[in-house]
Amino acid sequence: MLSLSALHQKQGKSQLVKMGLMSAVTVLVSIFALGQGSSSNLDMWTTTQTILRDIRAFVGLPDTLRACGYFDGVAWNAGQTCTNAEDLQSQIIWRLRLPRVLMAILGGVALATAGALMQGCLGNPLVSPLTLGVASGASLGAALAIIVGFSLTTVGSLAIAGNAFVFSLIVVFIIIQLGRYRSVSAESYILVGIAITFIAGAIVSTLTYFATDAQLSQLAHWSFGSLARPNMVVVALVATSTFTLFPTAMKWSWDLNALSMGGDDFAVSTGVDPSSIRRNILILSALLTSLIIAFTGMIGFVGLAAPHMSRILIGNDYRKLLPASAICGAFLMLVADTIGRTLFAPVVIPVGIMLAVIGGPVFMYLLLQSKGVR
Amino acid sequence: MNTLLSVENLSFSWPNREVLQNLNIEIKSNELVSILGVNGAGKTTLLKCVNRILKPSAGRVSLLAQDLSTMQTIDVAQRIAYVPQSVSTNFPMEVYDVVLLGRRPYISWFVRDEDREIVSESLEFLDLEDFAFRRYDRLSGGERQRVVLAKALAQKPNLYLLDEPTSDLDLKNQVVIMKKMRELVKDTDRNSSALIAIHDIDIAARFSDKILLMHDGGIMAYGTPEEVLTPENIAEVFGVEAEILNKSGSLRIMIHGALEKETR
């Protein structure tokens, strides 16, 4: 019989293999997703080839491709320098499909990580990235930009997203201020989050009351959550921030384990300062959330479902749960978005809706399944 | 024997209520000390002040001649392990990983072989080998308490603080926990002591080197079980009439009835 230590090591390895498989599947799904779309001559194989060719060309001959404006999200004049079919294909891939697929992955990673972090440090399985009111702040910012035309950011194309981001940062700032009270408990964070949600919701309702039909539909579209808006510049920005924030989350996984396993007193005796670590983790997850939601609109479900699915698959050890949630979130978003844009093509169903429609039943099934085993 | 823990003039108060008044306690190495007293006497508060979960309003707590208030949380966790009355969670981990948390004060991020070794030893010491890869929430109360104790053990502390570790347990598990604690404390290689808040006078008398009898946030008596557990002290603190039998060095406490009823 193996010793306990050896068994533990073996178990750790099998969990790593599980995560490896999950990420492999996610990569396959994303390649498949790249081949899906209204342009029927762009299948999976052509798409991959085109991407590889363009990357090679970009590295070798930057000027030619830059002239085609692949990485310039704002202004591109079709037909000026890029007229042949290959260039058109490249355009479709680099401007439409790739940013969309990458944004799905990033959104899933960031929101699922944020959800897992928040559930752990608040010790509450009902918490999702929307609980702290960050998304409501973003939604208020978007509503102000759309209806009143008021935006704190002046960049034309980013007026809505930028304003949403700034307003969600205001909520993050409120959380920081709240965290300065030493005695603030996990419940107080949740209750303040709910209060912020109500306040922001009331203001947004007031604004919509005076809005025109066009503005209303724009706001409704924003609140569905969509991956159509981000371009490669946004994707690069979000990717950089997400992957700088994620290692910090990983670094805190021991502290999260202590906090989620036994609460505050247990954490103290494990060498963790619960109030400061809780504040830091909430700020981190609020940043991750606002980063995504500002550009995509309301996407909430993945932040609740992906962590719970990973808990069922991997367990509650945050050292493994965080990467597993990230992968699971990316997978969910990709699948939901790909189905959403192919099911009734060329009509695209927003990812926020598809997530709930597809993810909801799967989530419920997994939950009931795992309870049954118990 | 040298002094392990010394508590000097310790006081603690909530905004409108004084809980601990001017406590002075000294605990030597390899000693098992039980705290007895009614609910609200300040037993838990004392433990939490020692472990810095609560900040004392006055006084000094030092461990091995080092002032605890000047130490980092993580340094305190290397020296003191706290076992709450019960640990419940929404996100249960597997037993092995719970015990591994006891190594958190020593680990930077990656688990070393040495840590696994210590965790395995702790599990074996508390007869938890068969539960090592079960989820914490699927264990019974007694098993859970042993898991949290194993986590404390893995911290390799000098001082164990246990807050009513046996109050949710059946008779056998109560004895098992106290026996294991005594075995731990008497292991001279470990150089550790235990301070245990407890309700059961018999169990306290049987397993403790010393008993700290608390009353209204102060110390009523502190000494060996024979010195502390007198009918007068028990009547004063618990309000019951008791008879103490000393059968060849082991105390038996017979409770005859509540005093109010007797006087009525």
Side-chain angles (χ1 to χ4, degrees):
Chain A
M1 205 192 100
L2 283 164
S3 72
L4 289 179
S5 309
L7 278 170
H8 185 250
Q9 263 173 319
K10 202 177 140 203
Q11 193 195 35
K13 275 184 197 135
S14 81
Q15 283 170 325
L16 279 182
V17 170
K18 247 190 221 171
M19 277 192 272
L21 282 175
M22 282 164 69
S23 31
V25 171
T26 310
V27 170
L28 287 179
V29 171
S30 58
I31 293 173
F32 173 77
L34 279 172
Q36 296 299 310
S38 333
S39 179
S40 54
N41 57 343
L42 262 179
D43 58 17
M44 235 164 80
W45 179 235
T46 330
T47 314
T48 321
Q49 270 183 324
T50 313
I51 292 174
L52 291 176
R53 188 201 67 204
D54 285 355
I55 289 174
R56 228 176 297 141
F58 183 71
V59 176
L61 302 157
D63 294 338
T64 334
L65 274 163
R66 280 205 188 115
C68 293
Y70 290 152
F71 298 94
D72 173 15
V74 187
W76 169 57
N77 301 315
Q80 276 190 352
T81 44
C82 320
T83 42
N84 60 45
E86 275 198 352
D87 282 335
L88 188 64
Q89 287 184 349
S90 294
Q91 296 292 349
I92 291 174
I93 292 167
W94 287 96
R95 318 190 119 258
L96 298 174
R97 290 193 190 168
L98 197 62
R100 194 179 180 111
V101 166
L102 289 179
M103 197 61 197
I105 293 174
L106 288 171
V109 166
L111 291 172
T113 308
L117 288 172
M118 288 169 66
Q119 287 171 2
C121 76
L122 298 173
N124 191 326
L126 305 176
V127 165
S128 82
L130 305 187
T131 313
L132 276 188
V134 176
S136 313
S139 142
L140 175 58
L144 279 173
I146 293 169
I147 298 165
V148 189
F150 166 81
S151 177
L152 292 166
T153 52
T154 46
V155 193
S157 65
L158 284 177
I160 297 171
N163 209 39
F165 188 63
V166 171
F167 271 79
S168 58
L169 285 187
I170 294 175
V171 177
V172 177
F173 180 74
I174 294 174
I175 297 168
I176 297 174
Q177 291 303 316
L178 189 67
R180 289 171 65 165
Y181 296 93
R182 242 198 105 72
S183 57
V184 66
S185 68
E187 285 75 19
S188 334
Y189 278 113
I190 298 177
L191 288 172
V192 169
I194 293 174
I196 293 172
T197 307
F198 272 105
I199 297 167
I203 302 175
V204 172
S205 302
T206 317
L207 288 173
T208 52
Y209 190 73
F210 296 105
T212 64
D213 286 353
Q215 291 167 338
L216 275 183
S217 102
Q218 205 184 348
L219 187 63
H221 272 274
W222 188 88
S223 64
F224 290 152
S226 160
L227 296 169
R229 286 178 285 263
N231 56 33
M232 280 308 263
V233 181
V234 168
V235 167
L237 186 97
V238 173
T240 323
S241 340
T242 305
F243 290 113
T244 35
L245 292 176
F246 190 76
T248 319
M250 284 300 286
K251 203 182 81 198
W252 287 332
S253 49
W254 280 99
D255 302 5
L256 268 165
N257 279 345
L259 209 53
S260 70
M261 179 60 216
D264 284 16
D265 294 355
F266 185 86
V268 171
S269 75
T270 314
V272 178
D273 180 354
S275 47
S276 82
I277 200 75
R278 183 179 295 127
R279 189 192 61 210
N280 292 343
I281 287 173
L282 286 178
I283 293 169
L284 179 72
S285 44
L287 280 177
L288 280 169
T289 311
S290 51
L291 203 62
I292 300 299
I293 289 201
F295 294 110
T296 64
M298 288 285 195
I299 300 175
F301 189 64
V302 69
L304 178 75
H308 280 297
M309 289 178 175
S310 313
R311 285 178 198 283
I312 293 165
L313 293 171
I314 293 281
N316 285 323
D317 184 343
Y318 269 88
R319 288 175 299 147
K320 291 141 196 167
L321 179 64
L322 284 177
S325 301
I327 299 167
C328 194
F331 177 79
L332 278 179
M333 286 275 277
L334 260 177
V335 170
D337 185 52
T338 309
I339 296 177
R341 67 196 170 89
T342 51
L343 195 59
F344 301 112
V347 177
V348 175
I349 303 169
V351 67
I353 296 173
M354 282 319 283
L355 260 178
V357 170
I358 305 164
V362 176
F363 180 48
M364 267 160 61
Y365 170 77
L366 277 176
L367 275 182
L368 294 175
Q369 186 86 354
S370 71
K371 293 278 190 272
V373 173
R374 195 183 288 183
Chain B
M1 276 196 288
N2 55 329
T3 304
L4 186 88
L5 176 82
S6 96
V7 174
E8 294 159 67
N9 305 320
L10 181 78
S11 297
F12 179 86
S13 43
W14 295 113
N16 45 17
R17 193 166 70 90
E18 196 169 32
V19 186
L20 298 179
Q21 295 152 10
N22 223 11
L23 301 192
N24 285 288
I25 306 160
E26 228 173 64
I27 295 179
K28 295 188 167 57
S29 291
N30 303 101
E31 248 183 2
L32 195 153
V33 178
S34 290
I35 313 175
L36 286 173
V38 293
N39 295 326
K43 303 191 294 287
T44 301
T45 312
L46 171 61
L47 291 180
K48 287 189 174 178
C49 281
V50 172
N51 197 29
R52 293 210 326 193
I53 291 171
L54 294 174
K55 197 175 178 299
S57 40
R60 215 174 93 109
V61 181
S62 41
L63 189 79
L64 292 168
Q66 247 184 310
D67 190 347
L68 281 182
S69 63
T70 61
M71 282 159 82
Q72 298 285 319
T73 313
I74 203 151
D75 296 322
V76 175
Q78 291 180 356
R79 293 166 176 80
I80 301 181
Y82 174 72
V83 178
Q85 185 173 347
S86 65
V87 170
S88 63
T89 173
N90 283 319
F91 304 117
M93 293 198 284
E94 283 181 359
V95 168
Y96 197 101
D97 292 318
V98 178
V99 179
L100 197 55
L101 278 176
R103 300 304 297 161
R104 163 71 182 74
Y106 301 91
I107 284 175
S108 59
W109 200 85
F110 287 100
V111 180
R112 303 159 297 178
D113 287 341
E114 180 198 344
D115 301 311
R116 287 206 180 83
E117 209 58 46
I118 292 169
V119 169
S120 304
E121 274 170 26
S122 309
L123 287 168
E124 278 155 24
F125 181 77
L126 289 156
D127 305 317
L128 286 164
E129 297 101 315
D130 296 344
F131 305 102
F133 298 103
R134 273 210 228 159
R135 256 174 53 177
Y136 178 80
D137 61 328
R138 293 177 188 166
L139 305 179
S140 72
E143 288 154 5
R144 285 185 197 194
Q145 199 57 278
R146 261 148 63 203
V147 171
V148 181
L149 193 56
K151 177 249 170 196
L153 214 68
Q155 278 174 256
K156 296 243 162 197
N158 297 111
L159 181 65
Y160 294 91
L161 301 174
L162 281 68
D163 192 2
E164 298 180 19
T166 57
S167 52
D168 285 347
L169 305 184
D170 59 45
L171 210 54
K172 187 192 165 193
N173 274 308
Q174 291 185 20
V175 174
V176 167
I177 293 270
M178 292 304 280
K179 259 196 170 151
K180 289 290 181 188
M181 278 320 294
R182 192 157 177 91
E183 201 179 315
L184 266 180
V185 164
K186 291 302 162 191
D187 182 351
T188 42
D189 292 342
R190 289 181 185 263
N191 188 33
S192 51
S193 298
L195 186 57
I196 305 177
I198 196 164
H199 270 305
D200 192 308
I201 299 189
D202 269 312
I203 287 194
R206 188 169 146 202
F207 290 99
S208 315
D209 296 308
K210 281 188 180 163
I211 285 180
L212 180 72
L213 190 60
M214 289 186 72
H215 190 47
D216 286 342
I219 294 173
M220 176 86 193
Y222 180 43
T224 61
E226 288 82 4
E227 289 164 7
V228 173
L229 296 176
T230 61
E232 298 75 38
N233 280 343
I234 291 174
E236 173 78 27
V237 170
F238 295 102
V240 294
E241 193 189 346
E243 189 182 334
I244 315 291
L245 306 173
N246 195 335
K247 275 192 183 167
S248 58
S250 86
L251 293 185
R252 293 282 182 281
I253 294 102
M254 317 261 292
I255 308 291
H256 291 309
L259 278 174
E260 286 93 342
K261 276 183 188 162
E262 296 283 314
T263 49
R264 207 173 278 165

